[in-house]
Every structure is written in C-alpha cells, then in structure tokens.
C-alpha cells in the first residue's frame, strides 16, 4: 500500500472518531512501514479533526507507529497503550491529551456470526395405528351363533 492510500484510509477512520470528546491537540504521526512510510498529522480544534499528509512541527505529541497498529486503534480494536507495549509504536509529548483518544474512539464489537442453518431432515410421516381388522372367521362365528 502506498502512503497516499494509507493516508486516505486514515482520514476515513478519523471521520468516525467522536471529535467532541477529544482535547484540542496537534499530533504528528510517522508511519514506520517500509512500503507506506511517511508523516502525517491530525489536528483537533473545537471538536473538529483535520488530517493531512505532511509534517506538523508545532505539535503536542509525536507518534511513530506501524500502519496496521494505527488502523486497529482507529477501528477500536486496540489502543495506543497496547501498541506501545507490543513495540508497534513510540510516543513522545503530552500524554494527557493523547489519552482522550480512548474515549473518542468507539470500542470495536465483532459482528456475531450467523449460526449455520442446517436443513432439518424431513420428518418421517407419522404412522397411523392400523385399523382393527376383524377376521372373516370371527365375523362368520358371530353370524352363525345367532
């Protein structure tokens, strides 16, 4: 994936973030992947997020992170603390402002897999009890006994 493609996906993911819960901040993000490495920033001002693909030197924090780790964070599947613990990211700067990301990104809920519908085997036709048969001998015996 190219940096431009990654930037577009990151911009789409940030569109789903509840910016009203974010502190005003400017964060420079450097993607560390070989195939799509590059620098972008996101800036939060008055509850609106702006994501652009260039350096932002007057920032509150810097994050060096793998693209997949950032996408997982923005999808609510992970968080910045986990990415740092796993060695997928390094962070410098104002951690209090960055901490507001936890409340702004909805937690990912995996879709429930639909239970496989198995076709029920056709029910065997219920057997009706056999009608009582009177044998010819019994009938004949009743007739002759009169």
């Amino acid at each position: 994936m190219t940096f431009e493609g990654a930037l577009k996906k990151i911009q789409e993911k940030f569109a789903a973030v509840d910016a009203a819960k974010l502190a005003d901040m400017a964060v420079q993000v450097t993607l560390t992947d070989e195939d799509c490495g590059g620098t972008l920033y996101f800036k939060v001002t008055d509850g609106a997020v702006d994501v652009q693909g260039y350096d932002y030197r007057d920032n509150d924090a810097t994050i060096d992170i793998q693209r997949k780790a950032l996408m997982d964070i923005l999808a609510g599947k992970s968080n910045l603390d986990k990415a740092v613990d796993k060695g997928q990211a390094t962070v410098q700067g104002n951690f209090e402002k960055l901490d507001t990301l936890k409340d702004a990104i909805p937690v990912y809920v995996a879709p429930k897999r639909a239970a496989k519908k198995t076709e029920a085997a056709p029910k065997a036709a219920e057997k009706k009890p056999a009608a009582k048969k009177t044998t010819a001998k019994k009938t004949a015996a009743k007739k002759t006994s009169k």
Side-chain angles (χ1 to χ4, degrees), residues 6 12 35 39 47 58 96 102 114:
E12 290 169 2
D35 62 338
T39 301
D58 187 24
E96 289 177 12
K102 291 178 185 174

Side-chain angles (χ1 to χ4, degrees), residues 49-135:
V49 181
D50 183 30
V51 181
Q52 298 298 325
Y54 54 87
D55 290 350
Y56 194 88
R57 299 291 175 181
D58 187 24
N59 54 53
D60 296 300
T62 59
I63 302 172
D64 293 340
I65 190 167
Q66 296 172 2
R67 181 189 55 81
K68 182 176 179 341
L70 180 59
M71 296 303 282
D72 285 348
I73 291 168
L74 293 174
K77 296 178 182 178
S78 185
N79 62 44
L80 192 54
D81 294 334
K82 288 179 184 177
V84 170
D85 290 344
K86 291 179 182 179
Q88 299 170 329
T90 58
V91 180
Q92 295 178 348
N94 189 327
F95 292 96
E96 289 177 12
K97 288 187 177 185
L98 287 174
D99 201 41
T100 63
L101 282 171
K102 291 178 185 174
D103 296 328
I105 298 171
V107 174
Y108 175 77
V109 177
K112 293 182 180 180
R113 293 185 180 198
K116 290 184 179 179
K117 293 183 179 180
T118 56
E119 291 186 31
K123 292 183 180 180
E126 292 182 24
K127 293 185 179 180
K128 294 182 181 178
K132 287 188 177 181
K133 294 182 181 178
T134 55
T135 60

